[in-house]
Amino acid sequence: MLGKLFKRVKSFKPWRILRPVFRKLRIIARRHPIISLIVILLILLLVIILNNFLAKPTPVTTKSPEAKSVSIYQIGQAPKSVFQGKISKSKLVKITAQTSGIVQAVYVKEGGYVHQGTQLLTLASNYQGGNALAIQSQIAKANLDNANDTYSEQKDNVNKQRDLANRTDENANDLRDITDQSISETDSLISLDQSIISSLNGQINQLEATDSANPQITATQGLVSQYQNAVNSLSQAQRSNQYNSSDTNPPAEIADLQRDISLQQLDIQDKTLDLNKELSQLQYNLDLVNESLMYPVSPFGGIVERVYVYPGQSVTPGTPLFEILGDNTSATVEVDLPEGLAKSISRLEPSVLTFNDQIVTEQPLFVSTEAVDNQLLVALYAVPSNLVSKVSDGSYIGVQIPVGYAKTDAAIPFIPLDSIYQSDQESFVFVVKDNHAQSKVVSLGQVYGGFVEIKNGLSTGDQIILNRNLISGDAVVVTH
């Protein structure tokens, strides 16, 4: 059997070079037939094993569908709305004319640096360089100087008039005292005259009793008449003195009123002097302010960005003169909002400001409580200092503002309207579950801007899928 095998092998030409080897193998096989047979069997077994391993068919594998990239909205976040915000640079100032005039000279150029208080130009009232406001300030200065120069003399006159009023009142009091002293003296004289009259009347009675035709009766009656006339005069003077000497009668009251009126008038005159002096100073200050309008100055240090006028140009209030970029310029973003949204801005989540390719998160610096423009309220945000130089005054950026408060318990969450799917009978959304899209039936409430209220159907932490190019069960991968 082995002999036949070797004969067949020898018949193949490629194996002729191996004849010496086969000759040796044949000799060994003849000497050890059993061992040779075992070796051949082992070789055949090894060939069969190698053939089964190398000829094993490649298993057919089915390719799983590729996961879709999706954007999500996290339950528990405050809903966000996008608005336009206006950039306002605090120290990029456009200086305008505050009064009418003719530009006489311009003292700065574009690109030049000016310090605070540097005069920028000169205005005049006419083309000849006259300055009416400067003349008005000179008139006011003359009035002020006159008020200051005569102030002490006028004050001294007022004080003297006040002393005169007081002295006049004191004199009236002294006169009343003198009159009061003369009353007692007049009373004594009246009593004496009345005694004489009584004595004369007694004599007349005696004469009439003895001799009614006695001529002495007539003479005595003449004396009585004289004394009675004196008594009447004294009584009249006495009543006048009593009237004038009383502190409660009109003469005394009139004197007091005249004194009070004089003193009050003098007080008014004194205050008027002070007021006129102060008004003269204020008028002068006002005219200086008006005059300064003809000489505009820089409100702060900075670089002149633009010069809008030239000598000989006529300007009116509001005409742009210069634009100056101040040192340490800051900027803010102003967002106009309806009252309902402004009062619902979340203070727990920051707003997102987009500056070209940079995104910044900021809390609002201030939200107005009263409408300031077009019945809208303003939310104010700070521009980071490293971005101030990269934005332009008056330009606009996108601001994403969280509206409402984050519902951490998801009792009444808000989700974007774009994430809602609706059929004839129900509304549902897709959420991320084990890296796959899963539908959830929800109950809708009121629409709030670009968001809708979810009454039930969602839980805290649910990731709402915003993409609309998938079906339930699709594999998904969250991108943001």
Side-chain angles (χ1 to χ4, degrees):
M1 180 177 176
L2 292 174
K4 293 180 179 181
L5 179 61
F6 282 116
K7 288 181 179 180
R8 291 181 180 179
V9 173
K10 289 172 60 178
S11 64
F12 290 99
K13 293 182 179 181
W15 297 100
R16 290 177 181 176
I17 58 176
L18 300 176
R19 286 178 181 176
V21 176
F22 283 109
R23 188 178 295 114
K24 292 181 179 180
L25 291 175
R26 184 174 60 182
I27 295 171
I28 294 172
R30 288 177 179 177
R31 293 178 180 177
H32 307 282
I34 296 176
I35 294 174
S36 299
L37 179 60
I38 294 173
V39 171
I40 292 173
L41 292 176
L42 291 175
I43 292 173
L44 290 175
L45 179 60
L46 180 61
V47 171
I48 293 172
I49 292 173
L50 291 175
N51 182 64
N52 289 337
F53 179 77
L54 295 176
K56 183 179 180 180
T58 303
V60 179
T61 58
T62 58
K63 187 177 181 181
S64 59
E66 184 179 354
K68 296 180 179 180
S69 298
V70 295
S71 300
I72 64 167
Y73 177 81
Q74 183 81 32
I75 292 297
Q77 295 175 333
K80 292 182 174 65
S81 297
V82 177
F83 301 90
Q84 291 293 312
K86 184 179 179 180
I87 301 294
S88 176
K89 286 192 173 182
S90 63
K91 286 197 175 181
L92 179 60
V93 175
K94 183 177 290 185
I95 298 175
T96 60
Q98 303 299 301
T99 187
S100 300
I102 308 298
V103 178
Q104 290 294 301
V106 178
Y107 302 117
V108 296
K109 297 181 180 180
E110 285 91 349
Y113 185 86
V114 293
H115 296 279
Q116 182 178 5
T118 300
Q119 185 177 342
L120 304 174
L121 56 77
T122 296
L123 296 177
S125 301
N126 55 31
Y127 288 102
Q128 288 74 32
N131 193 330
L133 296 179
I135 295 175
Q136 288 181 358
S137 66
Q138 292 173 9
I139 295 173
K141 181 62 167 60
N143 289 331
L144 176 61
D145 292 341
N146 178 69
N148 290 329
D149 292 341
T150 61
Y151 179 76
S152 59
E153 287 81 358
Q154 294 186 58
K155 277 284 190 177
D156 187 54
N157 288 335
V158 170
N159 291 331
K160 289 179 178 179
Q161 292 178 19
R162 187 178 287 111
D163 292 340
L164 178 60
N166 290 325
R167 294 290 181 86
T168 302
D169 183 68
E170 292 175 0
N171 181 64
N173 291 333
D174 293 339
L175 290 175
R176 284 196 297 272
D177 292 340
I178 293 172
T179 303
D180 186 61
Q181 292 174 4
S182 66
I183 289 175
S184 60
E185 297 173 354
T186 304
D187 286 339
S188 300
L189 184 58
I190 291 173
S191 298
L192 177 60
D193 288 345
Q194 287 178 344
S195 298
I196 293 173
I197 291 174
S198 297
S199 176
L200 291 174
N201 286 330
Q203 292 178 6
I204 291 172
N205 291 333
Q206 290 178 359
L207 290 173
E208 288 179 346
T210 57
D211 184 7
S212 60
N214 191 338
Q216 245 181 354
I217 295 175
T218 303
T220 304
Q221 288 177 344
L223 291 175
V224 170
S225 175
Q226 292 177 0
Y227 279 107
Q228 187 62 51
N229 185 44
V231 169
N232 292 339
S233 298
L234 290 174
S235 296
Q236 183 179 0
Q238 183 76 331
R239 287 191 294 270
S240 177
N241 290 335
Q242 290 175 344
Y243 179 79
N244 291 327
S245 64
S246 176
D247 292 336
T248 59
N249 287 334
E253 294 179 352
I254 291 173
D256 292 339
L257 288 174
Q258 289 177 342
R259 179 202 60 191
D260 294 340
I261 291 173
S262 297
L263 293 178
Q264 289 176 357
Q265 289 178 340
L266 292 171
D267 289 340
I268 294 173
Q269 186 176 348
D270 197 6
K271 293 178 180 179
T272 302
L273 287 174
D274 294 335
L275 178 60
N276 289 337
K277 180 182 178 183
E278 184 176 356
L279 289 177
S280 297
Q281 181 67 59
L282 292 175
Q283 183 64 48
Y284 176 61
N285 293 340
L286 177 60
D287 288 333
L288 286 179
V289 172
N290 291 333
E291 182 184 4
S292 68
L293 300 180
M294 308 295 282
Y295 312 103
V297 299
S298 176
F300 44 73
I303 298 174
V304 179
E305 295 285 332
R306 184 79 181 273
V307 177
Y308 293 99
V309 293
Y310 50 86
Q313 180 179 348
S314 177
V315 299
T316 58
T319 302
L321 302 177
F322 303 92
E323 190 171 275
I324 299 177
L325 179 62
D327 299 331
N328 302 320
T329 302
S330 61
T332 56
V333 179
E334 300 175 359
V335 184
D336 294 331
L337 299 171
E339 181 177 359
L341 290 178
K343 293 183 178 180
S344 301
I345 293 179
S346 174
R347 300 305 180 120
L348 301 179
E349 296 186 29
S351 300
V352 179
L353 286 68
T354 304
F355 298 91
N356 295 327
D357 57 347
Q358 287 190 265
I359 295 177
V360 178
T361 58
E362 291 282 346
Q363 292 286 358
L365 294 174
F366 171 74
V367 179
S368 64
T369 56
E370 297 292 337
V372 295
D373 189 20
N374 298 326
Q375 303 302 315
L376 297 176
L377 278 68
V378 173
L380 198 64
Y381 295 86
V383 176
S385 57
N386 62 320
L387 296 177
V388 171
S389 61
K390 299 180 181 179
V391 296
S392 300
D393 185 58
S395 61
Y396 289 85
I397 64 168
V399 182
Q400 193 177 45
I401 300 177
V403 181
Y405 295 96
K407 304 295 182 180
T408 54
D409 56 357
I412 309 178
F414 290 87
I415 65 174
L417 281 170
D418 291 342
S419 64
I420 301 293
Y421 293 82
Q422 288 184 308
S423 64
D424 294 338
Q425 299 179 350
E426 60 186 9
S427 301
F428 61 93
V429 297
F430 286 113
V431 300
V432 178
K433 182 70 173 180
D434 298 330
N435 295 325
H436 287 78
Q438 181 185 37
S439 64
K440 274 194 173 185
V441 178
V442 294
S443 176
L444 303 181
Q446 295 183 351
V447 175
Y448 190 80
F451 293 79
V452 63
E453 175 187 354
I454 302 299
K455 293 184 176 180
N456 54 62
L458 295 177
S459 303
T460 302
D462 280 348
Q463 295 178 321
I464 309 300
I465 298 176
L466 302 179
N467 303 65
R468 302 184 68 86
N469 60 340
L470 44 75
I471 60 175
S472 183
D474 282 351
V476 295
V477 57
V478 176
T479 56
H480 63 276

